[in-house]
Amino acid sequence: MGQGQRPLNGGRRRFVGVAAAGATTVGLPAWLAGCGRASPALEGGFAGIDMARGHALREGRWASQPVAKERRTRVLIAGGGVAGLAAARALRQARIDDFALLELEDEAGGNARGGQLGGLACPLGAHYLPVPGDDAREVQDLLEELGLRRREAGRWVYDERYLCHSPQERLFFQGEWQDGLLPLTGVGADTLAQYRRFAQKVEALRRAAHFAIPTLRAAPSAPLVDLDRLSFGAWLEAEGLDDPQLRWYLGYCCRDDYGAGLAQVSAWAGLHYFASRHGFHAPGDGLDAEREAVLTWPEGNAWLTRRLAAPLAGRLQTRQVVLRIEQTRSGVAVDAWDAAAQQRVRWQATQCIVALPVFVAARVVVSPSAFLSELAAGLTYSPWLVANLHLSSPLRDRPGAAPSWDNVVYGTRGLGYVDAGHQRLDPTPAPTVLSWYRPLGPSEFDGGDGRRLLAERPWEAWRDEMLAELSVPHPDLAERATRLAITRYGHAMAVPAPGLRARLARTAPGGEVQAGRLHFAHADWSGYSIFEEAFTRGHLAGEAAARAA
């Protein structure tokens, strides 16, 4: 991420955004100043995404513009997110260099872009990658290629510089910080008993079915089909798992991975969160101190997408709005609005990889296949907001667990914050950036129109909500905050609602989704917006297009 955002240091304009033209300097609300201190000025605004450019497609702003230029290429990739970048890598591996990749924003990467705030790198979206399992062999190959993993004495080891440093995560609960995110401080015996029962359920399902990442490698089975039919909340109720602390934690996990709550995601999705990776460990089972190994960087997963984009050079065309994709007798014609040159360009290609969100693909593909239209009609998306806050110095801390990479406040609308400086090897106190994540999909907190809120709510309102939430564990937050950059995603991720797995089995069976000369690649085709899903589908589409070209 980071398209539309400039480095935020020196005397340059701090932020470039749609709803906030240029920098804005405002005082914090009096209720946040606290203890009679004068509230410092906080510069801020929207950055990172050009919402107007994307909405222009929906509004048909350039539909009547004549074609001003024609270009030819062997393979055209529409969309420069993780799937599009993975497809480009697969084409290069197949020794196909005659291709072009069209990206809407100013930088490729999709939901895995990064930026800078006060000269410090920070994520604008996805900020970590779990160490992949054996099903994600394409991702494993990428990590080996980038030098992140290597074989030593017959086993794979990962570069410790990029494995998340300890402590990894903590929860502000009952007035103090505790290690881990499962509420433990002062909980009763009934709560602990429900933790153990849920752990037993997860382990039993892990043995009965294959919860794979990427999901296309999971063999169909009766348990998975049954779990797809009902919501996670309904499954918990049927199992008698009604403890408030357990349900809060599981709801947090759903909002974290899917952007929606227990009532909106399927039981398959809610259980997949645990069963596909590290399970669920109740206190006292001997494994509760175990943490899932994850790779992370100050700029988040932009570390990966920038390395995928680097070899593309002139083949990567940014600021391109794909308007129309049509199969012809001899190939594929793709019309795009070049926002830099302010002209409509028609690309002629023999094959096209459509690495666009499904709802966009269904809009721009002429005479879309039935499977594309069906999936587009059945998908719902969760909006997201990511706020990066620059701090002049480290925060004072409450009692309990030490400052961690991931820091969550119990019972809040947001998902807490990630510290972009956590991976620093120098222990000297220094400025840092906190990245606060706020899903806006339907949940126990939000039932309204999240996209409308993102488009209409001023940045100051998001600032106030974030500072109010994080000032509970950090009363000195406002006095140390200097700059704020807010990135909005109206269609951040597809929600794995009940029945989606069955719909995907009908519309997109197997790993390759193809209609004639069109090869579809996006995490939407998995109904699960994570790096492994997008990368695998992009890689497979690139291989298929290379064979056909």
Side-chain angles (χ1 to χ4, degrees), residues 37 101 119 136 219 233 293 406 510-511 520 529:
R37 293 179 180 269
L101 189 157
D406 191 10
F520 295 92
S529 182

Side-chain angles (χ1 to χ4, degrees), residues 15 25-29 32 38-44 117 388-396 431-434 459 463 466-468 470-471 474-485:
F15 301 97
T25 301
V26 294
L28 294 179
L32 280 175
S39 175
L42 179 61
E43 297 177 333
L117 196 59
N388 279 294
L389 182 67
H390 179 273
L391 300 180
S392 60
S393 57
L395 296 166
R396 293 192 296 271
T432 193
V433 175
L434 305 185
W459 76 269
R463 173 206 63 193
M466 178 196 68
L467 291 177
L470 300 186
S471 291
H474 299 297
D476 59 329
L477 180 69
E479 68 189 64
R480 300 180 192 275
T482 66
R483 304 173 191 172
L484 178 66

